[in-house]
Amino acid sequence: MIKKHTIFSLGILLFSLNMQNVTAQSSNATNFEVTAVFVEEAPQIDGYINDDIWKKIQPITNFTQVWPNDGSPATEETEVRIAYDRDNLYFAFKFYDKNPELIRAKNLERGGRNDRDDHAYIGIDTYQDGRNAYLFEMNALGTQDDATITDERLSIDSFSWDAVFRSETVINDDGWTLEVSIPFRQLRFPEGDELEFGLMLSRTINRKNERVLWPAIGLEYGNFTSLAAVSQYGTLKGLKNIRRGKNLEIKPYVITGAQEIRPDIEFEETNIDYTKDLGVDVKYGISSNLTLDMTINTDFAQVESDNVQLNLTRFNLFFPEKREFFLERSGLFEHGNLRSTQTFFSRRIGLRNQILAGARMTGQIGEWSIGALNIETGDEMRDFLGSNSQNNTVIRLRNNFMPRATAGVIFTNLEQNNSYNRALGFDTQYRFGSSSLFNAWFTNVWDDLSALNDAAGHASLRIRNDLYNGQISYTNVGTNYSPALGFVRRRDMRQYNLRAGYTPSVDFEALPSLNRMGFNAVYDYIEGQDGQKQTTELEFETTMDFSTRDRLTFEFERNFDRLQSPFDITEDATIPAGDYTFNVYEINGETDSSRRLFLMGGFSFGDFYNGKRTDYSGGFGFRQSQHLTLEGNFQYSKIDLPVNNGEFDATTLSMSVLGAFSRKLFTKTLIQYDNFSRDLQANIRVDWIHTPGSDLFFVYNTSYHITGANENTFNPRRDFIMNDQIAILKLTYLIML
């Protein structure tokens, strides 16, 4: 059993050091303010900044670089005007550019890679709590994406939120212009006749690798992560008498499809199953602060396929969540070490059976952030609330008990009949300085099998600014720690981690395009609950960032791994128990992915469990136009171990094709192959946004097993055996009341 007092003692010590040396910053450290202008007649959202109202509003112009030259004035002028009526918040951007022919604008896929184009962000902190915000992104074609920032943290998962708003652009001889209309009904904000929001505005000039911000947020908050520094946002004033609406959204769906499975190619036995179904999602604003989401007979047929991974370790692989219902406001439910020791991992719900019905409530009441999730799963709808169904419950509370500090609790429960698995966790975070953080958490699990009752915990202190970073952390995971709704990569360990880094700006005559270099060192020491050493890792890394957005990385690792029992690295190759030490050398490089043609590649070699391992990786991308983007990737590992069947290869190949006819109609094809399963898989996904917030999806999945030719002649009938193929058509329609 884990020694709980060890975690709490370390946490109290680190927190005390923080409080002695750091004074908390106020939630709005800047004095940037702007007043929105009320309009009786809404501007026409067409990208042309020619409405009379825009001519009467004084623009925001004082944008400051965060990258590449922190604190310097923007190299291109920017003007932003803000207006509102009772239903919408309006923005008019004028982005001057001395070379408009060089503006990068190719992405038409909503939620796609706008970061490869010239683009803009609007960040809105509706509660002015300096922690949480809505983020709206538009590129030079008006293509949208959006995100929610939780506790000043922004990740890929944050961009799963889908708001319904309007954006249009025009590229002209002066640069490009952008108009945006954001309905107030898409936001949650406190009661009151006169409101103030936190506000951040960002522009990226892609070919210059330049990001400018209003207000001025320094590089000590990071380049991209400066967008999430909500405590540094400016203030948007003057919002009065806003109409909130009924805050009710109903989104029904209908689905039809067919699946063909061919279990026996020799006798040409084919089994085709047809399906048709319907369901509904409902979003209701209980109050200005709380939102209730309900789902009945949920279907995720339109979700993209997972990327193929080959596991050459003895620990679990992590596959990220991709389902919209779970991703929206997912940051609120985070607890534990992400992708390593998570108390709650939504992917545990509904992958092996069907989500019959569920509800989620999220929101904020005063200083409390609230999240609750209850989902019933089973094989079919008639199992609902029966003996064959499972109930999945998560409750999450977080309190902002002081500036930039939170404390919270999480409870999870998986229950079926008389069996259960419950977890109760506590956590606290304290952000200080710019990007520095103290973090601690603890979780205990109770199971109907008492042998699975165990606990895990963590405490860390990170000190970071634009030049230096350092971190010390301690993680303790019990031998039988198994939260049924969580993810645990490694059990039975006590991990001690030290990190240090230095990232200066450089000016080398030999490499004038070199902008910054990073020097990082990491040391990990892992022992079991019995105190015996299990693993150590010493890593040194040097990174070179160029003003052209190219990157080059060199890395050296010295690892020790103690196997207390044999480890099956493949089905027919076993690494015996013992102590192993190996050195690994690695180099990786990538070019700017916003260019028409971009490349990436890596090479590593070294020892591997008394043998040798060499890895090659590479990829390319070709942005042919607004309508076609190709990307390909490969990973190849050559393993040579001194065991039976220890010489083998591990290969994964993938190719994606993005075709976009417009901002409302696009298709994505993903083709993948790996030599372990010898399966060739294809996923084709077509999305037509027929009205805002409503889609028509066509999804086609197929998989073939490649047996390999035994003769010199190629015979598709013999060498390619179809595993299955699935075709799905799904229609959704958003009703807003």
Side-chain angles (χ1 to χ4, degrees):
M1 188 69 116
I2 188 173
K3 297 180 179 178
K4 304 174 186 177
H5 64 83
T6 305
I7 295 174
F8 290 127
S9 298
L10 180 60
I12 292 171
L13 173 61
L14 293 177
F15 190 77
S16 299
L17 291 174
N18 294 348
M19 294 300 293
Q20 292 174 7
N21 293 287
V22 181
T23 301
Q25 298 184 355
S26 64
S27 62
N28 184 11
T30 66
N31 57 1
F32 288 80
E33 294 182 350
V34 61
T35 300
V37 175
F38 180 80
V39 295
E40 294 287 351
E41 183 177 350
Q44 184 176 355
I45 306 301
D46 55 9
Y48 293 95
I49 313 297
N50 53 11
D51 299 82
D52 289 339
I53 183 59
W54 296 132
K55 300 174 184 178
K56 300 176 183 179
I57 297 177
Q58 187 70 23
I60 299 171
T61 59
N62 52 332
F63 281 75
T64 306
Q65 286 190 50
V66 64
W67 187 269
N69 300 311
D70 184 25
S72 298
T75 63
E76 304 284 356
E77 295 182 20
T78 299
E79 296 178 358
V80 184
R81 295 168 171 84
I82 306 174
Y84 77 101
D85 58 21
R86 295 193 65 189
D87 298 305
N88 301 282
L89 186 60
Y90 303 104
F91 293 84
F93 294 82
K94 192 167 186 177
F95 300 119
Y96 291 93
D97 198 312
K98 302 180 187 69
N99 301 103
E101 72 280 2
L102 300 180
I103 292 172
R104 293 179 176 173
K106 288 188 176 180
N107 178 52
L108 288 170
E109 179 192 16
R110 196 197 193 289
R113 294 296 302 271
N114 280 341
D115 63 305
R116 293 174 174 173
D117 293 334
D118 286 34
H119 61 279
Y121 284 104
I122 301 170
I124 302 176
D125 174 10
T126 55
Y127 289 96
Q128 276 200 305
D129 61 5
R131 307 164 187 269
N132 308 297
Y134 300 96
L135 194 66
F136 300 87
E137 179 187 30
M138 298 72 50
N139 75 349
L141 296 174
T143 307
Q144 301 174 350
D145 202 0
D146 29 50
T148 53
I149 298 169
T150 303
D151 201 20
E152 294 194 279
R153 183 177 179 274
L154 187 62
S155 66
I156 294 177
D157 292 346
S158 304
F159 283 86
S160 60
W161 177 56
D162 284 328
V164 178
F165 68 104
R166 297 182 60 195
S167 59
E168 297 294 341
T169 62
V170 173
I171 299 176
N172 53 40
D173 292 338
D174 294 327
W176 60 291
T177 55
L178 164 68
E179 283 185 297
V180 182
S181 171
I182 301 174
F184 286 117
R185 64 180 301 130
Q186 293 294 302
L187 309 175
R188 294 293 176 262
F189 44 86
E191 299 284 354
D193 294 331
E194 184 169 354
L195 299 172
E196 293 184 358
F197 293 165
L199 180 67
M200 181 278 305
L201 305 169
S202 169
R203 174 192 182 182
T204 296
I205 308 169
N206 207 290
R207 70 180 185 278
K208 296 184 178 183
N209 192 19
E210 180 179 331
R211 185 188 302 277
V212 298
L213 295 173
W214 182 96
I217 302 177
L219 189 59
E220 64 270 20
Y221 291 91
N223 178 4
F224 179 72
T225 54
S226 60
L227 303 174
V230 184
S231 61
Q232 306 304 303
Y233 280 15
T235 303
L236 176 62
K237 307 174 64 176
L239 302 173
K240 301 178 181 179
N241 301 318
I242 294 173
R243 183 157 43 208
R244 300 173 184 272
K246 296 181 180 179
N247 293 329
L248 176 62
E249 298 179 4
I250 303 172
K251 195 171 186 177
Y253 82 85
V254 293
I255 188 171
T256 184
Q259 178 177 2
E260 178 183 7
I261 301 175
R262 184 171 294 169
D264 195 333
I265 189 64
E266 181 178 352
F267 297 102
E268 298 186 353
E269 294 181 3
T270 301
N271 181 22
I272 301 179
D273 291 329
Y274 297 94
T275 182
K276 54 183 178 180
D277 210 344
L278 54 85
V280 64
D281 294 333
V282 178
K283 183 185 294 289
Y284 175 61
I286 300 174
S287 67
S288 62
N289 301 325
L290 293 175
T291 301
L292 176 66
D293 292 275
M294 295 174 286
T295 180
I296 299 175
N297 201 23
T298 314
D299 178 82
F300 301 107
Q302 76 279 11
V303 175
E304 296 180 9
S305 297
D306 289 317
N307 294 328
V308 169
Q309 301 182 55
L310 297 183
N311 194 356
L312 298 177
T313 75
R314 53 195 172 99
F315 305 111
N316 296 327
L317 292 176
F318 182 90
F319 290 90
E321 178 65 85
K322 295 187 177 183
R323 298 170 296 175
E324 179 183 342
F325 181 81
F326 293 104
L327 286 172
E328 186 173 331
R329 293 301 307 271
S330 61
L332 175 60
F333 291 91
E334 290 176 356
H335 188 276
N337 296 346
L338 296 181
R339 302 192 173 213
S340 175
T341 315
Q342 296 181 205
T343 304
F344 173 59
F345 179 44
S346 60
R347 183 129 184 174
R348 297 291 187 199
I349 301 176
L351 278 189
R352 296 183 178 178
N353 48 20
Q354 182 181 350
I355 293 180
L356 306 178
R360 177 186 60 210
M361 184 180 68
T362 58
Q364 189 163 336
I365 300 178
E367 298 297 321
W368 288 92
S369 296
I370 299 172
L373 179 72
N374 188 272
I375 292 178
E376 196 77 13
T377 59
D379 292 332
E380 50 189 345
M381 278 300 298
R382 61 184 177 184
D383 290 338
F384 184 63
L385 298 180
S387 60
N388 294 325
S389 68
Q390 293 181 330
N391 184 261
N392 307 260
T393 301
V394 185
I395 299 173
R396 179 71 160 127
L397 301 174
R398 299 179 70 176
N399 179 262
N400 306 330
F401 66 90
M402 60 181 291
R404 302 188 75 189
T406 63
V409 60
I410 189 170
F411 172 76
T412 70
N413 180 44
L414 174 64
E415 191 158 349
Q416 180 177 8
N417 293 333
N418 296 322
S419 65
Y420 64 87
N421 181 282
R422 297 167 184 150
L424 179 64
F426 304 89
D427 65 330
T428 184
Q429 289 188 349
Y430 173 46
R431 297 182 183 274
F432 59 94
S434 53
S435 302
S436 298
L437 172 71
F438 168 73
N439 178 49
W441 60 267
F442 172 78
T443 299
N444 199 93
V445 174
W446 294 268
D447 194 277
D448 61 289
L449 299 176
S450 58
L452 296 180
N453 294 352
D454 217 327
H458 168 88
S460 64
L461 174 64
R462 182 187 73 197
I463 308 294
R464 177 185 291 176
N465 58 29
D466 58 325
L467 284 179
Y468 302 97
N469 69 83
Q471 177 173 300
I472 178 173
S473 68
Y474 172 72
T475 305
N476 196 324
V477 183
T479 304
N480 300 309
Y481 179 70
S482 298
L485 296 183
F487 174 82
V488 183
R489 183 173 183 269
R490 182 169 182 167
R491 298 174 177 83
D492 183 24
M493 73 166 191
R494 294 197 288 255
Q495 178 182 20
Y496 307 84
N497 176 270
L498 292 172
R499 296 173 180 265
Y502 175 53
T503 312
S505 298
V506 294
D507 185 10
F508 290 152
E509 293 183 3
L511 287 173
S513 64
L514 182 60
N515 188 281
R516 290 175 80 88
M517 292 190 68
F519 304 93
N520 295 282
V522 179
Y523 179 70
D524 257 330
Y525 181 91
I526 299 176
E527 63 184 16
Q529 294 295 329
D530 58 4
Q532 296 296 312
K533 182 172 71 171
Q534 294 182 354
T535 303
T536 64
E537 178 180 336
L538 179 63
E539 176 184 328
F540 297 98
E541 179 188 79
T542 299
T543 301
M544 305 170 68
D545 287 311
F546 297 86
S547 58
T548 53
R549 289 179 39 150
D550 302 328
R551 167 173 281 202
L552 194 61
T553 302
F554 304 91
E555 187 175 316
F556 167 74
E557 294 182 14
R558 180 171 178 82
N559 300 321
F560 168 83
D561 199 15
R562 173 170 292 159
L563 299 183
Q564 297 178 335
S565 59
F567 157 44
D568 293 335
I569 192 168
T570 66
E571 291 183 356
D572 54 4
T574 301
I575 300 175
D579 292 351
Y580 299 90
T581 301
F582 37 95
N583 299 326
V584 179
Y585 305 85
E586 184 172 353
I587 180 172
N588 292 284
E590 60 183 84
T591 63
D592 178 10
S593 64
S594 68
R595 295 177 189 156
R596 182 179 176 87
L597 176 66
F598 55 92
L599 303 170
M600 63 198 75
F603 170 67
S604 68
F605 66 95
D607 309 314
F608 190 64
Y609 293 105
N610 287 345
K612 297 295 181 182
R613 174 174 174 175
T614 304
D615 294 282
Y616 302 88
S617 64
F620 78 95
F622 179 56
R623 305 179 76 202
Q624 189 271 335
S625 66
Q626 298 175 3
H627 306 293
L628 181 62
T629 299
L630 305 175
E631 293 190 47
N633 291 278
F634 79 90
Q635 290 186 329
Y636 172 78
S637 299
K638 177 68 175 178
I639 312 294
D640 188 0
L641 301 172
V643 299
N644 292 333
N645 304 308
E647 186 174 354
F648 61 91
D649 302 335
T651 304
T652 61
L653 302 170
S654 68
M655 169 67 75
S656 68
V657 181
L658 173 63
F661 301 93
S662 69
R663 287 167 48 193
K664 295 184 177 181
L665 177 60
F666 39 87
T667 178
K668 193 169 187 177
T669 300
L670 177 62
I671 302 171
Q672 300 183 95
Y673 170 79
D674 73 272
N675 71 326
F676 276 26
S677 69
R678 301 185 68 85
D679 286 343
L680 179 65
Q681 306 173 42
N683 169 254
I684 301 173
R685 181 175 180 267
V686 181
D687 185 3
W688 174 37
I689 305 175
H690 55 88
T691 56
S694 307
D695 301 83
L696 175 63
F697 295 102
F698 172 74
V699 180
Y700 176 73
N701 292 320
T702 187
S703 172
Y704 284 84
H705 182 70
I706 302 177
T707 62
N710 295 321
E711 303 174 7
N712 294 329
T713 58
F714 175 73
N715 186 335
R717 178 180 174 84
R718 178 193 62 223
D719 298 331
F720 284 81
I721 301 176
M722 187 188 73
N723 294 322
D724 56 32
Q725 58 181 344
I726 305 170
I728 295 291
L729 193 66
K730 180 177 180 180
L731 175 66
T732 69
Y733 188 80
L734 177 62
I735 304 169
M736 303 177 68
L737 301 175

